[in-house]
């Protein structure tokens, strides 16, 4: 299978790069403006299926927006086109800018209306298609059937916004919105995939090993695929649920399909890299994760954490620690940092990381945890056990 995995391409690297910046809020904007942000994020995910442009992932686009010198940051990351958006009251202004010439290619202004959200998405997508993506295949096709019932899409956008925060309360708020979307349209694949995602994330956050959560997540992802066989989002969620259920080969197959359908979808590429690490192929994993980071250059912590894990299993402990150091919130990686330091012989630092981890997780049981983490080959489990035991974690 490894012979079929392509981690990069000169053709892909030569494509123009597009960033869809989330809206700035001007004085007087309404409280429900998060729908506009979710609209832009969902549009970004849809455009990832294009073979004619590289799309910057939403997380990095948010960082571009928040920067004090946005123009310089866009130049530094070689962004050619930017969709610049602003909210004022209940209106959204959008303009597509060709950055090298500072030329406005297209602009529009429309009222944010729950009943018109889907139509607004189509307007923006069509403008980008005709302006810079001449050969882009129709990414709006899955949404055509929902023009008569925009309530499902509106609720989906609200759920997507809630998932910008990874916490149990946020997951449950998102789940409520996705269920509302499915109540309006039981075959709306994005909402079914969103429900699947909330369940796998709950499994990760609670760390209780509840297989019922994963079984339901997999069922929902499969249902999403049945209703839309071209949904990269659905295949991604299927692959993630299968990984945590220990079906690593099935996970890789699903994530490969997600990438085939949407070759610039950073989240799918990151998930693929993470599964490759669990499949005992850390060399391929780190290349895949680097590709995800290149699409999302101001990378989310989970990308860096996954890259650190791949480096650990390559026995490149110093490089693993360098990825951890780049994380904004290093807490989730303290256990991995402890193992890396211990394998480098720095037992003082390893002890500090272990104590920090145990402060937040006092009931941590090393053997139970290792039994729950899926690895294709036993050497991975034992290498991780060795690092953690050297760091002072107790094993039976």
């Amino acid at each position: 299978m490894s012979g079929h995995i392509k981690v990069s391409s000169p053709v892909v690297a030569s494509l123009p790069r597009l960033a869809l910046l989330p809206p700035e809020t001007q004085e007087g904007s309404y409280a429900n403006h998060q729908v506009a942000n979710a609209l832009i994020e969902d549009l970004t995910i849809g455009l990832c299926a294009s073979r004619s442009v590289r799309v910057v992932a939403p997380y990095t686009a948010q960082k571009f927006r928040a920067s004090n010198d946005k123009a310089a940051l866009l130049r530094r990351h070689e962004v050619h086109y930017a969709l610049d958006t602003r909210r004022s009251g209940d209106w959204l202004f959008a303009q597509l800018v060709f950055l090298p010439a500072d030329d406005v290619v297209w602009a529009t202004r429309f009222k944010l209306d729950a009943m018109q959200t889907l139509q607004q998405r189509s307007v923006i997508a069509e403008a980008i298609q005709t302006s810079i993506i001449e050969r882009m295949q129709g990414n709006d096709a899955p949404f055509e059937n929902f023009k008569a019932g925009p309530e499902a899409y509106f609720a989906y956008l609200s759920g997507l916004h809630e998932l910008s925060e990874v916490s149990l309360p946020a997951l449950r708020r998102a789940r409520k919105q996705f269920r509302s979307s499915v109540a309006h349209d039981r075959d709306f694949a994005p909402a079914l995939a969103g429900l699947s995602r909330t369940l796998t994330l709950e499994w990760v956050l609670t760390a209780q090993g509840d297989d019922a959560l994963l079984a339901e997540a997999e069922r929902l992802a499969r249902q999403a695929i049945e209703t839309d066989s071209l949904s990269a989002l659905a295949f991604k969620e299927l692959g993630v649920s299968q990984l945590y259920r220990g079906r690593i080969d099935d996970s890789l197959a699903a994530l490969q399909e997600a990438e085939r359908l949407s070759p610039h979808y950073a989240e799918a590429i990151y998930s693929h890299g993470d599964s490759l690490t669990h499949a005992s192929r850390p060399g391929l994993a780190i290349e895949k994760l680097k590709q995800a980071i290149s699409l999302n250059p101001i990378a989310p912590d989970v990308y860096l954490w996954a890259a650190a894990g791949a480096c650990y299993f390559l026995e490149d402990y110093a490089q693993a620690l360098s990825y951890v150091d780049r994380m904004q919130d290093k807490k989730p990686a303290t256990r991995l940092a402890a193992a890396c330091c211990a394998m480098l012989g720095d037992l003082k630092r390893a002890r500090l990381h272990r104590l920090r981890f145990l402060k937040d997780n006092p009931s941590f049981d090393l053997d139970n945890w290792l039994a729950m983490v899926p690895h294709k080959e036993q050497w991975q489990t034992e290498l991780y056990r060795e690092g953690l035991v050297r760091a002072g974690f107790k094993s039976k």
Side-chain angles (χ1 to χ4, degrees):
M1 187 174 186
S2 60
H4 298 291
I5 297 174
K6 297 180 180 180
V7 298
S8 61
S9 164
V11 174
V12 170
S14 67
L15 295 176
R17 175 169 278 185
L18 166 67
L20 290 84
L21 306 182
E24 287 184 337
T25 305
Q26 295 184 353
E27 187 175 352
S29 291
Y30 286 1
N32 66 352
H33 60 256
Q34 65 265 25
V35 174
N37 296 60
L39 171 65
I40 299 303
E41 180 174 346
D42 181 58
L43 180 61
T44 302
I45 293 171
L47 289 172
C48 285
S50 168
R51 268 69 172 176
S52 302
V53 69
R54 291 178 294 160
V55 182
V56 173
Y59 182 91
T60 289
Q62 290 170 3
K63 295 295 184 181
F64 287 158
R65 167 63 74 203
S67 173
N68 291 329
D69 194 352
K70 179 177 58 182
L73 197 59
L74 289 165
R75 284 195 300 271
R76 188 183 315 152
H77 291 287
E78 299 180 337
V79 175
H80 303 90
Y81 290 89
L83 183 73
D84 199 16
T85 57
R86 293 193 302 277
R87 292 187 306 268
S88 181
D90 56 350
W91 289 84
L92 181 70
F93 173 79
Q95 62 178 9
L96 185 65
V97 182
F98 179 57
L99 295 171
D102 196 26
D103 180 30
V104 176
V105 178
W106 168 86
T108 190
R109 178 175 179 265
F110 54 80
K111 193 170 185 178
L112 289 168
D113 183 340
M115 303 303 292
Q116 299 296 321
T117 306
L118 186 58
Q119 179 182 344
Q120 293 155 0
R121 179 194 189 277
S122 299
V123 167
I124 298 174
E126 183 178 355
I128 292 175
Q129 288 172 343
T130 56
S131 300
I132 63 172
I133 311 175
E134 296 178 353
R135 298 184 306 276
M136 184 176 177
Q137 297 178 358
N139 291 308
D140 288 331
F143 297 94
E144 291 299 316
N145 295 331
F146 307 106
K147 286 183 177 179
E151 298 91 348
Y153 187 67
F154 180 72
Y156 163 70
L157 290 181
S158 297
L160 192 65
H161 171 75
E162 295 292 353
L163 281 181
S164 61
E165 175 190 340
V166 181
S167 69
L168 287 174
L171 291 183
R172 285 157 188 166
R173 291 193 300 269
R175 190 173 302 154
K176 181 179 179 180
Q177 294 294 336
F178 291 140
R179 282 176 175 161
S180 174
S181 178
V182 173
H184 287 293
D185 188 334
R186 64 182 182 180
D187 294 327
F188 191 27
L192 292 166
L195 279 171
S196 175
R197 185 178 181 187
T198 66
L199 293 167
T200 53
L201 285 173
E202 182 171 335
W203 186 89
V204 171
L205 289 178
T206 56
Q208 299 298 311
D210 185 354
D211 191 60
L213 287 172
L214 298 180
E216 179 64 4
E218 181 174 347
R219 186 192 71 79
L220 287 164
R222 290 188 182 280
Q223 186 179 344
I225 291 168
E226 287 175 6
T227 61
D228 180 5
S229 62
L230 300 179
S231 172
L233 179 62
F235 276 101
K236 189 211 33 128
E237 298 306 336
L238 176 63
V240 173
S241 64
Q242 289 174 324
L243 169 65
Y244 292 128
R245 300 194 80 188
R247 299 210 300 273
I248 297 174
D249 289 340
D250 291 339
S251 170
L252 291 175
L255 291 166
Q256 275 194 315
E257 180 63 10
E259 261 196 86
R260 187 189 71 79
L261 291 167
S262 193
H264 310 307
Y265 185 16
E267 285 289 307
I269 296 168
Y270 144 71
S271 294
H272 196 172
D274 191 38
S275 282
L276 283 167
T277 296
H278 290 275
S280 306
R281 291 191 266 176
L284 285 173
I286 193 63
E287 292 304 315
K288 190 67 69 174
L289 290 162
K290 286 178 180 178
Q291 184 183 353
I293 291 170
S294 74
L295 290 167
N296 206 349
I298 306 177
D301 284 348
V302 289
Y303 289 28
L304 301 171
W305 188 12
C311 288
Y312 181 90
F313 292 113
L314 289 169
E315 300 184 50
D316 190 349
Y317 307 117
Q319 184 62 42
L321 286 171
S322 74
Y323 278 115
V324 173
D325 287 341
R326 289 169 58 185
M327 294 172 63
Q328 291 187 2
D329 180 7
K330 300 176 179 59
K331 272 189 178 182
T334 51
R335 179 178 52 215
L336 176 60
C340 289
C341 290
M343 295 301 274
L344 289 170
D346 190 344
L347 298 183
K348 183 178 179 180
R349 282 181 66 202
R351 179 178 179 274
L352 287 174
H353 286 301
R354 174 174 58 83
L355 292 175
R356 287 179 188 140
F357 174 80
L358 291 175
K359 182 179 178 181
D360 294 326
N361 303 272
S363 60
F364 176 71
D365 185 302
L366 175 59
D367 295 297
N368 286 344
W369 179 76
L370 286 174
M372 204 170 72
V373 176
H375 287 140
K376 185 74 177 285
E377 297 178 7
Q378 188 62 25
W379 68 264
Q380 272 188 288
T381 300
E382 295 311 314
L383 184 62
Y384 210 171
R385 186 193 308 275
E386 180 183 354
L388 292 171
V389 169
R390 286 191 190 187
F393 289 92
K394 302 300 181 184
S395 179
K396 296 175 184 177

